[in-house]
Amino acid sequence: MNVIVTGARGLLGSEVVNLSSNPIPITSKDCDLIKSANLIEEVSTNHKTVIHCAARVGGVKANTDYVAEFFDDNMKMNMNVLEACKNRKLKLVSVLSTCIYPDAPYVSYPLTEDQLHMGPPHISNFGYAYAKRMLEVQSRAYRQQFGCNFISAVPNNLYGPNDNYDLNTGHVVPALIRKFHEAKINGSDKVEIWGTGKPLRDFTFARDAAAIILWLAENYDGAEPINIGNSEEVSIRKLVEMIGEEMNFKGIVDFDFTKPDGQYRKPCSNSKLRSLGWKGEYVSLRDGLRETISLFAKNYPNAVRGVV
Ligand code: GDP
């Protein structure tokens, strides 16, 4: 399948590009999708599917610090991308996130796709969450009125090579890998962890998510979003232990309770994906971390480049 990939340099987009045979990668350098998505129309002569990975994203702190920008930028980008896909009658796969689901007590766990609009999102990321929810609404509306073949996939916490290793704006896995690595090379015996360590997250290796998204592009044509994440929950404390072990860190970890915990949990069900016929297996968290850590160490310090 010939795909056009937005956000092609990012954590997810780069994996989609790697797994595709003849992709057209679009990066923020090629085109500022917040202003216009004309480039998608220009390159779509032989490429009829768009995998839309571009987004203004960040970890728990960035989501609050840049709440308005995360709302604005994602709304504008998505309006432009959907318009371009409609004009050229392209198939579109949009990428949502489990962090846009309502928070407790409005939902039951594991999160199923029908609960997406059943209550407000967690307060720490409402700008991002509502913009992404509108992406799902707009896709559904375009499908209904204009017959667009637009679908949406819902990953959970992604990690892998090509992540954002900026400590203020990135997510927990890249932040921990960088902190442990720098503590070791600086001879420090202490690493600071945000929050209480109690929140639970389910992590999916970005390459697995990319493979499922490409599978959905070929095998699914429906309005309902599809959860695509690995459904195994792990506490942040356990994640810290695992990364510390893999990186052979012998010092102490210090939980900073003044830093945000974010949502307590957001486990998702992938039974709809299975019922559509997806039969793959997820890379285990330990194996995915091992590969990510080894590439990070090999590319350090070049791997450290913030993207927000
Ligand atoms: P979230 O899933 O949207 O909340 O995104 P994050 O990956 O940013 O955070 C996940 C959890 O990891 C939260 O409970 C954070 O408090 C916790 N955490 C612990 N240390 C860090 C850190 O150094 N950076 C980030 N981003 N999160 C951390």
Side-chain angles (χ1 to χ4, degrees):
M1 192 190 359
N2 288 342
V3 293
I4 298 165
V5 186
T6 71
R9 262 193 328 169
L11 172 64
L12 180 62
S14 61
E15 298 288 359
V16 175
V17 169
N18 290 341
L19 293 178
S20 308
S21 52
N22 184 24
I24 296 181
I26 296 183
T27 71
S28 49
K29 283 213 177 104
D30 304 320
C31 171
D32 182 356
L33 294 170
I34 294 169
K35 296 203 175 104
S36 156
N38 286 350
L39 184 60
I40 293 179
E41 298 197 44
E42 285 163 25
V43 300
S44 64
T45 314
N46 298 314
H47 286 63
K48 298 297 176 200
T49 300
V50 175
I51 312 290
H52 177 34
C53 301
R56 183 82 189 269
V57 294
V60 62
K61 185 169 181 301
N63 262 291
T64 303
D65 291 352
Y66 304 104
V67 59
E69 290 175 47
F70 275 31
F71 180 80
D72 283 6
D73 291 355
N74 286 309
M75 287 294 291
K76 287 177 186 158
M77 202 182 302
N78 297 337
M79 296 289 284
N80 290 334
V81 170
L82 269 64
E83 179 71 22
C85 293
K86 168 179 153 286
N87 291 344
R88 296 301 302 256
K89 298 191 169 28
L90 306 176
K91 173 144 195 176
L92 170 70
V93 187
S94 291
V95 181
L96 311 176
S97 163
T98 51
C99 73
I100 75 172
Y101 272 102
D103 194 24
Y106 302 99
V107 280
S108 58
Y109 299 111
L111 296 163
T112 46
E113 292 84 352
D114 54 315
Q115 302 187 77
L116 190 61
H117 298 282
M118 299 271 192
H122 191 264
I123 191 68
S124 63
N125 70 347
F126 74 90
Y128 176 82
Y130 278 118
K132 282 281 183 176
R133 285 192 195 183
M134 288 309 106
L135 174 55
E136 189 275 331
V137 170
Q138 194 183 356
S139 294
R140 201 155 26 97
Y142 276 40
R143 169 178 285 275
Q144 185 176 311
Q145 187 178 341
F146 306 126
C148 294
N149 187 352
F150 289 178
I151 66 171
S152 329
V154 193
N156 43 22
N157 284 56
L158 298 180
Y159 71 99
N162 275 326
D163 213 331
N164 170 15
Y165 285 91
D166 183 278
L167 294 181
N168 274 314
T169 60
H171 284 96
V172 62
V173 171
L176 294 181
I177 291 175
R178 178 174 173 183
K179 285 179 187 179
F180 282 123
H181 186 79
E182 292 184 343
K184 273 174 60 182
I185 57 178
N186 295 333
S188 163
D189 63 354
K190 199 163 97 178
V191 161
E192 184 210 82
I193 312 294
W194 292 0
T196 60
K198 288 186 184 152
L200 303 168
R201 294 289 181 272
D202 26 6
F203 294 95
T204 301
F205 197 43
R207 193 176 308 144
D208 287 342
I212 298 171
I213 284 170
L214 287 167
W215 185 87
L216 281 176
E218 282 202 273
N219 294 287
Y220 181 62
D221 174 7
E224 204 179 3
I226 307 292
N227 290 338
I228 63 167
N230 186 356
S231 54
E232 250 171 64
E233 273 189 308
V234 56
S235 71
I236 296 302
R237 188 174 285 273
K238 177 73 192 159
L239 177 76
V240 170
E241 263 173 47
M242 283 175 90
I243 296 179
E245 273 164 29
E246 287 301 320
M247 299 188 73
N248 202 20
F249 178 75
K250 303 282 184 220
I252 51 167
V253 290
D254 196 12
F255 287 87
D256 180 353
F257 287 17
T258 67
K259 294 286 194 320
D261 260 347
Q263 213 159 333
Y264 174 57
R265 66 188 294 230
K266 43 191 175 185
C268 65
S269 158
N270 53 25
S271 56
K272 182 126 199 268
L273 174 68
R274 299 269 182 208
S275 74
L276 289 172
W278 183 75
K279 295 196 169 53
E281 292 302 324
Y282 294 95
V283 167
S284 74
L285 181 55
R286 181 127 347 227
D287 286 349
L289 287 174
R290 204 165 279 167
E291 179 175 335
T292 308
I293 290 165
S294 126
L295 277 169
F296 175 82
K298 205 164 114 200
N299 295 328
Y300 187 85
N302 291 337
V304 176
R305 242 173 293 139
V307 291
V308 169

